[in-house]
Amino acid sequence: MDSDNRLGRFLSARRALVSPEESGLPTGSRRRVAGLRREEVAMLAGVSSDYYVRLEQGRERHPSAQVVDALARALRLEDDAVDHLHRLARPVAARPRGRNRPEPVSPVLLRMMEGWHSTPAVVLGRCLTVLAHNALGRGLFAGHTHSGDLLRLVFLDPDARDFYPDWDRVAVNTVAGLRAAAGTGHDDPQLIATVGELSLKSEEFRRLWARHDIRQKARETKRFRHPQVGELTLDYESLTVNSAPGQQLVVYQAAPGSPSEQALTLLGSLGAGEQHPTESTTESTKDFRT
């Protein structure tokens, strides 16, 4: 985990992803670095090369808001990444987090999910573990080795590339969403353990984590290849749970009258025996694997 000099590491990673052509700069024939050079970022941002070098090296850690915005433009950052850069430049002291901090799901939220008979819904924790699901939410992700952990499902499950036809895009967005959910709180023991495990077991995760992409899980259309009901194309909306910071309620829906809506109806009938939403724990996630 990049626990020290987070600002410098972020700047270095992001400039490596911007090509000179994108910035209107000549490419030359003797470039030794991927992306932009430090002096090129400094020029594009309107700061001195020495000042920018100090930022990357951690000798200067608190640039002004105006400088942060200029750097964001130079690095061609999207809105979520701009917000993250501002937080890195002006970090707020966080309360120390204990190991294995519980993430209970509100009983009121569980009751709400119970009434959504045609809409898959899951509640995700800060490291994308499934904390709760309704019957269709359970059915949508059932049958995999890591059905109760969407991060490990993407990167460690042997069925992942078949389940997600657009796996490459899903993988990029999943890691970007994890970084966005983590924010600047990289001292979280659960996050440290999760990133450490995934970095050891998945070369693709390790590569994507090093990019420092930041993208909030918000709304998207996602395709699934379900082992029981076949192809599904679902729109989802991700909502923050204000009563439980760090939790996300993700709600999926098929277009009315579409084959995917028919497939969801079939999926609901196959899981009709599950009447109530389930709050998952470390032990209860085993239920997904049956």
Side-chain angles (χ1 to χ4, degrees):
M1 294 290 291
D2 42 2
S3 58
D4 191 31
N5 190 22
R6 293 170 185 162
L7 173 61
R9 289 177 184 268
F10 180 79
L11 293 172
S12 177
R14 297 309 302 176
R15 72 176 168 88
L17 301 176
V18 182
S19 68
E21 295 91 339
E22 290 177 296
S23 302
L25 300 173
T27 58
S29 58
R30 295 186 177 182
R31 302 190 69 87
R32 297 181 180 179
V33 298
L36 298 177
R37 300 185 178 104
R38 287 171 170 172
E39 58 268 24
E40 290 171 334
V41 176
M43 179 191 69
L44 291 170
V47 299
S48 71
S49 294
D50 178 68
Y51 180 76
Y52 181 77
V53 169
R54 295 203 308 273
L55 285 173
E56 275 205 10
Q57 292 178 343
R59 293 185 288 128
E60 171 60 56
R61 294 177 182 249
H62 302 295
S64 68
Q66 291 80 4
V67 169
V68 170
D69 286 333
L71 291 171
R73 289 191 295 271
L75 297 173
R76 306 177 69 85
L77 300 182
E78 297 177 353
D79 290 345
D80 290 337
V82 175
D83 292 341
H84 181 74
L85 182 57
H86 275 281
R87 288 192 294 270
L88 290 174
R90 291 288 184 273
V92 177
R95 184 178 62 183
R97 301 181 179 186
R99 184 171 297 277
N100 297 324
R101 181 164 55 95
E103 299 180 276
V105 179
S106 163
V108 175
L109 180 55
L110 292 173
R111 288 198 302 271
M112 289 175 60
M113 293 166 62
E114 180 181 357
W116 300 340
H117 302 297
S118 61
T119 304
V122 297
V123 179
L124 301 180
R126 58 190 182 275
C127 290
L128 306 187
T129 52
V130 178
L131 304 178
H133 52 75
N134 64 4
L136 266 183
R138 178 188 189 278
L140 180 61
F141 293 102
H144 304 284
T145 303
H146 296 286
S147 293
D149 187 318
L150 300 193
L151 182 63
R152 288 175 173 83
L153 173 57
V154 172
F155 289 100
L156 300 183
D157 204 287
D159 303 325
R161 291 176 184 267
D162 186 57
F163 182 58
Y164 294 111
D166 304 309
W167 185 89
D168 289 336
R169 180 166 61 89
V170 170
V172 169
N173 289 341
T174 297
V175 175
L178 178 66
R179 275 202 176 272
T184 59
H186 288 184
D187 57 343
D188 186 328
Q190 182 184 356
L191 179 68
I192 293 171
T194 298
V195 171
E197 178 190 351
L198 270 292
S199 296
L200 288 173
K201 294 181 178 179
S202 170
E203 180 180 352
E204 192 67 16
F205 175 85
R206 187 165 61 249
R207 181 184 70 81
L208 292 174
W209 184 256
R211 287 170 53 96
H212 287 249
D213 289 326
I214 305 287
R215 193 173 302 112
Q216 292 280 356
K217 191 176 182 70
R219 67 171 65 93
E220 191 181 5
T221 299
K222 185 174 287 188
R223 293 198 301 148
F224 303 87
R225 189 176 292 118
H226 196 277
Q228 291 180 295
V229 300
E231 294 275 354
L232 289 160
T233 299
L234 303 177
D235 299 316
Y236 77 75
E237 187 86 24
S238 179
L239 310 170
T240 59
V241 182
N242 290 340
S243 61
Q247 292 184 12
Q248 302 174 72
L249 170 64
V250 186
V251 184
Y252 298 85
Q253 191 171 55
S258 67
S260 293
E261 185 181 52
Q262 297 172 16
L264 276 185
T265 300
L266 174 58
L267 183 61
S269 67
L270 293 174
E274 177 133 353
Q275 298 293 323
H276 304 287
T278 301
E279 183 173 7
S280 300
T281 64
T282 303
E283 291 299 319
S284 65
T285 55
K286 295 177 181 177
D287 295 340
F288 283 81
R289 303 170 191 171
T290 59

